[in-house]
Amino acid sequence: MSQTQIVDEAIPSAVAPAPRPRPWTVLSSSPFRKLWIATTLSLFGDFFSYIALAWLVLQLTGSSLALARFSSCRRFRERCSWWSEARWPTASRRA
C-alpha cells in the first residue's frame, strides 16, 4: 500500500457541515446570562447617571457653557482612562 492510499483512506470523503448555532443559545448558560444582564444594567446606569449629572449641572448653573464644560471633561476622562490606568496602575493590580 502506498503512502497516498493510506492518507486518502484516513480522510472521510463527505463531511457534513456543523449546524449553525442560533444567536440566543448563549443565554442558556447561566453564568453568561448573569454576566450579560449585569453588564446591560451597568450600561443603563452609566447612561442615566450621565443624563442626571448633565441635568443637575444645567439646573444649578443655568449655563449652557457649564454644561458644555461638564460634557467635554467627562468625555475626555472616558477617552483617556485607558492611558492613565496603564501609566499609573493601582495598588491592587501591583500585587
Side-chain angles (χ1 to χ4, degrees):
M1 210 177 226
S2 72
Q3 193 70 4
T4 57
Q5 289 175 339
I6 295 172
V7 172
D8 289 339
E9 290 174 2
I11 300 173
S13 60
V15 177
R20 186 173 178 178
R22 300 181 75 181
W24 295 102
T25 56
V26 296
L27 293 177
S28 64
S29 169
S30 178
F32 181 80
R33 184 176 52 245
K34 290 176 184 176
L35 175 67
W36 187 79
I37 290 170
T39 302
T40 303
L41 290 175
S42 176
L43 288 173
F44 275 117
D46 290 346
F47 172 73
F48 285 117
S49 73
Y50 177 76
I51 297 298
L53 285 172
W55 179 79
L56 182 65
V57 166
L58 191 58
Q59 290 297 314
L60 291 177
T61 64
S63 168
S64 58
L65 181 61
L67 181 60
R69 285 181 183 163
F70 165 75
S71 296
S72 61
C73 288
R74 185 165 172 133
R75 181 67 61 190
F76 180 75
R77 182 184 59 87
E78 290 172 359
R79 299 281 186 220
C80 295
S81 65
W82 64 269
W83 183 78
S84 63
E85 290 173 2
R87 188 158 169 86
W88 297 288
T90 60
S92 63
R93 291 195 333 196
R94 286 185 202 156

